[in-house]
Amino acid sequence: MENKLKIYNTLSRKKELFQPINPPHVGMYVCGPTVYGDAHLGHARPGITFDIVFRYLRHLGYKVRYVRNITDVGHLVNDADAGEDKIQKKARLEQLEPMEVVKFYTDRYHENMQQLNTLPPSIEPTASGHIIEQIELVKKILKNGYAYESDGSLYFDVEKYNKDYKYGKLSGRRIEELMQNTRELAGQEEKHNAFDFALWKKADPKHIMHWPSPWSEGYPGWHLECSAMGAKYLGETFDIHGGGMDLLFPHHESEIAQANAATGHDPVKYWMHNNMITINGQKMGKSLNNFITLNEFFSGKHKALDQAYNPMTIRFFILQAHYRSTLDFSTDAMKAAEKGMHKLFDAFYLLDELKPSEKSSVDIKAIEAKCYDAMNDDFNTPMVIAHLFDLAHILNQVDSGTESLTKADIEETKAFFSTFLFDLLGLKDEKEKDDSELIDYLMKTILGIRQEAKTKKDYATSDLIRDELAKMNIQIKDTKEGAKWSFK
Ligand code: ZN
């Protein structure tokens, strides 16, 4: 397999030629959401970024095992191993069983990811389903001397680890700096050092989600689940680990430390991090009041939005920036994205109407090669989109007669345009959605006519409508709220 793909590796801080450990197999782990609230724009970015990686690696012929976890336990409100579990807090506030919160938001997350046309991962393990693996990992770390027990809780001994392995290789943070910056140990007296992180926490009596372990009835620390599940499904060393830049420290740094402490070697060859999305130049956050969920985008129901935005517009908007750049949201940028995307769709449909010429005035293969070069350059989707805009411009010129393409070149263009637009960028024309809206509208109209007939006691007409719809497997049910329809 000829391979020109270069990936920026956060670990080496440079672009490296992608050489999987065990080709054609590729293992990719991406940190998934903590399911205690609706997904927002910040979730869409890693969802789409690693969907692009997944799609392109498969396109190149790799057999990719894509693991994305669901965090349903152990994430505390305060990341410094203190405070209440986020899911538990939500459950308490809404008087639900924690697993009801988990199921509800997992389903909504899946729905949002599907609306954004991201492919489902190959495996989607949950933290609560891998408590045994996490306990086994803690045992190994403890046995190797890099953890200590303190009143039923276990902590990772960062100082000891740093002596044998270098701590901070991913984030570039040095333990000396951490020591200076984290002198405070208030409320964390169990730890030897403030920067030690929990591997296992003894549950206080109010904590609802807890499991038995050799040390205490408790729950796993924040960073443990990804180490345990990554190793279980992808092996002790695998190819790609991804996530948002906000996870780089301490989460991913701790994963590296845990793996080395347990196995003596690094867990991941290529670390990839997507950058953050800002809103009108500001960081997005609940406290900043600029926190917009994906469902709010799709419905337009948020005071910062002037209209509803189609999921594909959001996808295109995200792909117009390189995943390592920050991306600033504004309604103007979103409108420009919507317009731009339709320009590409229109150009693609125009291909069916072009009149072929004897000779081509444009080198189509060169444009195709440029698109591949852009993808191979660390998944440079904005560059791919720029080349597709150039192509759209050329196709319009062919249509007006200032440029020309042969029949074979038109076919070739159709094939690679479709590959990039639909298969690799994962865009979808909303026509399908429009169809379902149209059906809804037509059915409402038909049921309205039927209701009118019934009111006038014209049962022949109302029965005729019912029987005719039945032929198309459409079932009508009369309920107190009026007639409802469904496919049989
Ligand atoms: Zn993770």
Side-chain angles (χ1 to χ4, degrees), residues 171-185:
S171 61
R173 299 195 196 201
R174 292 169 55 222
I175 192 168
E176 295 78 13
E177 289 166 34
L178 294 174
M179 275 177 160
Q180 277 171 0
N181 297 336
T182 51
R183 289 233 178 271
E184 290 284 311
L185 260 174

Side-chain angles (χ1 to χ4, degrees), residues 31 226 251 255:
C31 292
C226 292
H251 186 52
E255 275 188 52

Side-chain angles (χ1 to χ4, degrees), residues 18 49 77 82 89 155 187 213 241 258 266 278 283 319 355 362 372 392 401 449:
F18 181 59
T49 297
V77 173
K89 186 179 174 191
Y155 293 97
S213 81
H241 192 316
Q258 288 170 162
D266 270 355
T278 54
K283 206 183 155 207
L319 293 176
K355 285 193 191 76
V362 193
Y372 275 105
I449 295 168

